[in-house]
Amino acid sequence: MIKVKSARKLTASGIISCLLVPCVRLKTNYLPKTNKYFLLICLSFFLSGCLGVKHLKNDEKLLYRQSIRAPKGINTDDLDNLYAQKPNRKLFGTPIAPLVGIYYWGKKGYNQEKYVRKKEKIEKKFESKIARTQSQKKINNLRFRKQKKLDKNDSYIENGNLRMQWGEPVAVFDSTVLKTTEDRFKDYLFSKGYFNNHVTTRTLSIGKLTNVTYRIEPGPPFIIDTILYKISDTAVFKLVHQSANGSFVKKGLPYDQENFSKERERIDLLLKDHGYYDFSRQYIEFDVDTSSEGHHKVVAMLIIKDPSNRNNHKQFMIDSINFVADAGVSSPGKERNQRSYRHINFQQFENQYNRKVLSQRVFIAPGNTYSRSNTFATQRQLANLDAFKFVNINYDTSDGHFVANIFTSPLNRYEWTNEFGVNVTQGYPGPFYNVNFKKRNIFRGLENFDLNGRIGFEGVAAATSDQNVYRSTEAGANASITFPQFLWPLKESTRIWLGKYNPKTRVSLGYTFTDRPEYRRAATSFTNTYTWQNKRTTLFSFTLTNLSIINSDIKTDEFQQILNEQQDLGNFSLVNSFKPSFVNSMIFSITWNPNDYGQQGKTSVFIRAQAESGGTIFNFIDTKPVDDQGLQTFKYLRGNVDLRQITPLTKVTSLAFRLNGGVAYSYASSPSLPYEKFFF
């Protein structure tokens, strides 16, 4: 038996009922109708405390749930975003709304007048400080701090204190907004071609709880039957007609207002890619008629109007290009040097950037028609050089000429970053320190030099003891130079063509050291990697040279005995991984990210595939020089695939999965892989 002291006060038993209700599936089909309603009334009574019903007035009801009943083919997820009123958010789908409690907990101690008085104090305090300050830099700083504090205080005045902003007030059912939601649903269905739709609403109130159900009757969709064109400019008509295969508005498709918006965007980009610099989407209209083609048919007319001052649209051709490489840099009394390369007028105070490399990332040229896509590609590829704070491109149409102006502002040539932290892995926590140094444009050809160092300590249990914990030390350093082109004997025309693929060559030299209770291990490596991109969605990487020399020193007889025992059991891989080794391989990988993996509210996929061939060079040359140094060699093939996907289920819930697998095959006389190439 559950005892309740008052109608608005829930006992511990009531709270338990709230927690249990979601876990119990009640079968009421066999109950009489009166018993069903009695059971629902009891449940609503038990749930009232969890949902914040006690905060309602006598004549108010709580909007508990809303649902949509629609035939198959209607996207109810889009309709969910159109509710004029929404119920309170619940905890993991249970009938518990903790944010309501947080809101009213904050409201108990909220005093709006206190924040109003505090605002006056902030203004007086900072105005006094500003009046006493002579430095304009300090005045600007004080004004910034003042505005930041005022904005924070104003949010408390308008939206309540922090707890009120974290929470939400109880959702009081408002019957007047039902019509607003119905109208929104009707407008949405109309935009999808359901011109004869109907939306009805049904409410069910039990106790203080109200459920709302919207029933959708879309009616038959209207289909595009005929497409007409009204374009007086013959050059524009020809472009639009030739690109009709890529149109979003086609005969036989259901009418969808979103497709007409996409088609307007497509035509706008199409024309701007063919020289129509001052073209605007405002010139594009669609006239839709549902009366002339019979039942549920649509005639769509595409209209492209002429400019008000001309009877045709003008194509713009680039006359000249100015490239200011150090915009924002001032040098009093000194003028920028001007030099031309590939018909680009470069301007900079000092000749610090290689004009040949910069020109490879410029895809607009004098004599060519304006192209928005080429303009954006130029801006993107110049930004990929990691040399500039910003890259702006604008066009000057004054004096009857069409001039392209490229402005870039250089990043700091030197950059330091430091990182301290605690590493927590399978062992005991230990501190680490990372330091990174970068020097940009090291050889004045937009090359970047990076130097990275790391040292870390960690507590680990020794492999030969069950009782002692020892310190493990890991340290490493890596130096690399990234070139903004392929280091390969290529023609200049080929390098210019490759510029749009963001080609880079990275040469690196590294050293890592590990000191554990059982062994010491040191590895020196050298890599030479080429990378390039395709349409920003696919990244290719080819490591032509990947060399490592690895030395290991067994520190204890006990650990050596463990290795010998493993060898006796047939586990040669573990034993060989602690022998001095020479590892060389070639690696090719593809990373595919077509829709910005991880972006909220959108299904996204990420795929990385990698293939590696180790010891390939030893298939063509003798290993004797390496063997004479006492180094072990390896021959192997190794493949790896990493697949990830995120699928939104609701606005706050997503389904994510990852599949990461690989396979390796050793074909050397000693069937083993280098330790660093194992799968874990």
Side-chain angles (χ1 to χ4, degrees):
M1 181 178 180
I2 300 174
K3 296 181 180 180
V4 180
K5 292 185 178 180
S6 68
R8 293 190 178 183
K9 200 164 186 178
L10 195 67
T11 64
S13 301
I15 294 174
I16 293 173
S17 300
C18 290
L19 298 174
L20 290 178
V21 166
C23 305
V24 179
R25 180 174 297 174
L26 298 173
K27 296 184 179 180
T28 60
N29 293 334
Y30 60 86
L31 291 175
K33 189 173 183 180
T34 54
N35 289 352
K36 291 182 183 179
Y37 281 113
F38 176 75
L39 179 60
L40 290 174
I41 291 171
C42 291
L43 288 176
S44 67
F45 174 72
F46 291 142
L47 297 176
S48 61
C50 303
L51 297 169
V53 174
K54 64 180 180 180
H55 302 295
L56 297 172
K57 297 178 181 178
N58 291 332
D59 58 342
E60 292 179 337
K61 293 183 181 296
L62 174 73
L63 177 61
Y64 178 65
R65 181 180 288 115
Q66 297 180 110
S67 59
I68 300 171
R69 292 190 178 182
K72 189 176 181 181
I74 303 300
N75 190 340
T76 56
D77 290 338
D78 289 344
L79 293 173
D80 284 338
N81 298 323
L82 301 177
Y83 287 124
Q85 184 185 15
K86 294 187 178 182
N88 296 118
R89 286 172 286 180
K90 300 176 180 64
L91 182 66
F92 303 124
T94 65
I96 302 174
L99 297 181
V100 174
I102 293 174
Y103 176 86
Y104 288 99
W105 175 40
K107 190 175 181 180
K108 285 182 180 179
Y110 176 65
N111 183 356
Q112 189 181 55
E113 189 62 32
K114 180 183 75 172
Y115 293 104
V116 173
R117 292 194 300 268
K118 186 176 181 181
K119 180 178 181 179
E120 296 175 356
K121 290 181 180 179
I122 292 172
E123 289 177 337
K124 289 180 181 180
K125 175 183 175 182
F126 277 94
E127 287 301 326
S128 176
K129 287 185 176 181
I130 291 171
R132 297 194 305 267
T133 304
Q134 300 297 324
S135 170
Q136 186 61 43
K137 185 176 180 180
K138 290 183 178 179
I139 290 174
N140 293 338
N141 188 9
L142 288 169
R143 286 176 178 170
F144 175 78
R145 289 169 54 197
K146 171 190 172 183
Q147 191 59 46
K148 190 175 180 181
K149 286 183 176 291
L150 287 176
D151 290 344
K152 184 177 180 180
N153 194 76
D154 287 344
S155 73
Y156 294 148
I157 295 174
E158 297 173 8
N159 306 311
N161 57 32
L162 203 57
R163 284 173 290 179
M164 294 173 68
Q165 294 181 29
W166 286 347
E168 56 187 23
V170 65
V172 180
F173 172 67
D174 185 357
S175 60
T176 61
V177 301
L178 296 179
K179 183 65 167 58
T180 303
T181 301
E182 286 183 10
D183 291 341
R184 291 180 180 179
F185 285 0
K186 290 177 181 177
D187 290 343
Y188 171 81
L189 294 169
F190 191 92
S191 72
K192 295 299 181 182
Y194 299 99
F195 298 150
N196 299 324
N197 68 79
H198 295 280
V199 180
T200 57
T201 307
R202 180 177 174 232
T203 61
L204 174 63
S205 296
I206 301 177
K208 284 283 187 177
L209 308 183
T210 297
N211 287 346
V212 181
T213 303
Y214 295 92
R215 189 181 300 274
I216 306 295
E217 297 178 12
F222 279 67
I223 306 299
I224 298 174
D225 184 75
T226 305
I227 299 176
L228 304 176
Y229 297 91
K230 187 178 179 181
I231 307 172
S232 60
D233 189 321
T234 55
V236 172
F237 172 77
K238 184 178 180 180
L239 275 174
V240 173
H241 192 264
Q242 288 176 344
S243 67
N245 288 337
S247 175
F248 292 97
V249 179
K250 293 182 179 180
K251 181 179 178 179
L253 292 179
Y255 174 91
D256 189 336
Q257 192 170 308
E258 185 178 356
N259 285 340
F260 285 87
S261 298
K262 290 180 179 178
E263 180 64 5
R264 187 177 285 108
E265 294 282 347
R266 187 191 72 85
I267 293 175
D268 180 54
L269 178 58
L270 172 71
L271 294 178
K272 286 180 177 176
D273 275 350
H274 285 80
Y276 295 93
Y277 170 73
D278 61 356
F279 188 84
S280 170
R281 283 170 290 177
Q282 296 176 353
Y283 294 123
I284 305 173
E285 293 181 358
F286 286 97
D287 192 1
V288 177
D289 185 9
T290 61
S291 61
S292 61
E293 284 293 327
H295 199 50
H296 305 137
K297 299 292 179 66
V298 171
V299 176
M301 177 179 287
L302 169 62
I303 304 170
I304 299 182
K305 298 182 294 184
D306 290 333
S308 58
N309 57 345
R310 296 195 306 268
N311 59 1
N312 66 339
H313 292 273
K314 181 180 177 181
Q315 276 186 302
F316 288 78
M317 187 170 292
I318 299 173
D319 293 302
S320 60
I321 301 174
N322 297 321
F323 194 132
V324 181
D326 51 6
V329 177
S330 61
S331 184
K334 188 177 180 181
E335 293 185 357
R336 288 186 171 90
N337 300 321
Q338 298 192 32
R339 293 189 180 182
S340 180
Y341 187 84
R342 282 186 60 213
H343 305 291
I344 302 173
N345 180 28
F346 288 94
Q347 303 175 31
Q348 47 188 328
F349 287 113
E350 298 180 6
N351 295 322
Q352 57 178 327
Y353 296 118
N354 188 301
R355 294 182 297 278
K356 180 186 291 187
V357 175
L358 287 176
S359 70
Q360 294 170 6
R361 303 295 176 108
V362 177
F363 311 114
I364 55 179
N368 291 351
T369 54
Y370 164 78
S371 169
R372 187 172 71 167
S373 293
N374 288 343
T375 301
F376 286 172
T378 299
Q379 191 171 22
R380 183 171 63 252
Q381 294 301 341
L382 288 173
N384 284 336
L385 293 173
D386 189 25
F388 306 113
K389 295 178 184 177
F390 65 81
V391 179
N392 290 337
I393 303 177
N394 61 49
Y395 291 87
D396 186 0
T397 59
S398 61
D399 300 327
H401 296 283
F402 190 61
V403 180
N405 296 307
I406 304 173
F407 299 97
T408 63
S409 179
L411 284 166
N412 293 332
R413 194 169 186 188
Y414 299 95
E415 183 178 297
W416 284 93
T417 58
N418 297 276
E419 181 183 10
F420 298 89
V422 176
N423 190 30
V424 181
T425 58
Q426 60 193 17
Y428 296 88
F432 70 85
Y433 170 65
N434 292 341
V435 60
N436 301 291
F437 168 74
K438 173 177 283 190
K439 183 178 181 181
R440 293 184 172 90
N441 200 27
I442 185 171
F443 302 131
R444 295 186 179 273
L446 292 120
E447 309 90 351
N448 290 334
F449 172 74
D450 290 274
L451 181 63
N452 310 310
R454 173 186 171 89
I455 185 169
F457 304 95
E458 185 180 1
V460 296
T464 56
S465 174
D466 296 331
Q467 299 177 350
N468 297 323
V469 176
Y470 297 90
R471 186 184 71 183
S472 173
T473 303
E474 289 190 2
N478 188 79
S480 65
I481 299 178
T482 303
F483 299 86
Q485 55 187 324
F486 289 155
L487 293 185
W488 202 258
L490 300 173
K491 295 180 180 179
E492 180 63 16
S493 59
T494 304
R495 293 188 184 278
I496 294 171
W497 176 78
L498 286 171
K500 59 185 175 182
Y501 297 107
N502 190 25
K504 291 184 179 180
T505 303
R506 188 171 187 266
V507 180
S508 63
L509 180 66
Y511 176 80
T512 59
F513 173 76
T514 303
D515 186 6
R516 284 179 53 98
E518 306 85 8
Y519 62 85
R520 288 192 186 93
R521 187 175 180 85
T524 303
S525 61
F526 171 81
T527 60
N528 176 28
T529 302
Y530 300 92
T531 61
W532 65 99
Q533 288 178 283
N534 181 20
K535 296 181 180 179
R536 300 178 63 187
T537 61
T538 310
L539 174 66
F540 299 91
S541 174
F542 177 56
T543 301
L544 179 64
T545 307
N546 182 24
L547 305 177
S548 297
I549 297 177
I550 303 169
N551 287 294
S552 298
D553 179 23
I554 306 300
K555 296 168 63 175
T556 65
D557 295 336
E558 292 87 348
F559 188 63
Q560 183 64 58
Q561 183 177 353
I562 291 176
L563 296 178
N564 295 336
E565 291 173 355
Q566 291 296 313
Q567 185 174 12
D568 293 339
L569 294 173
N571 185 358
F572 297 97
S573 298
L574 186 61
V575 177
N576 292 333
S577 64
F578 285 94
K579 294 179 180 179
S581 306
F582 175 76
V583 181
N584 77 94
S585 66
M586 292 188 296
I587 306 171
F588 178 74
S589 68
I590 301 176
T591 302
W592 189 49
N593 186 12
N595 39 25
D596 295 331
Y597 176 75
Q599 186 175 348
Q600 188 174 1
K602 177 180 176 182
T603 299
S604 55
V605 177
F606 176 93
I607 302 174
R608 178 184 288 127
Q610 179 176 289
E612 180 175 1
S613 176
T616 311
I617 191 174
F618 296 131
N619 293 326
F620 307 100
I621 65 173
D622 192 2
T623 63
K624 188 175 185 303
V626 179
D627 296 336
D628 291 343
Q629 300 297 320
L631 298 176
Q632 183 180 9
T633 59
F634 300 87
K635 295 180 181 179
Y636 61 91
L637 299 174
R638 187 178 186 272
N640 175 245
V641 175
D642 184 359
L643 170 63
R644 313 173 196 179
Q645 179 171 317
I646 294 178
T647 303
L649 301 179
T650 66
K651 294 183 71 174
V652 296
T653 308
S654 295
L655 174 66
F657 73 83
R658 180 183 184 190
L659 175 65
N660 190 2
V663 60
Y665 168 71
S666 173
Y667 60 94
S669 57
S670 176
S672 63
L673 294 173
Y675 181 76
E676 285 74 14
K677 303 299 180 181
F678 284 6
F679 289 107
F680 294 92

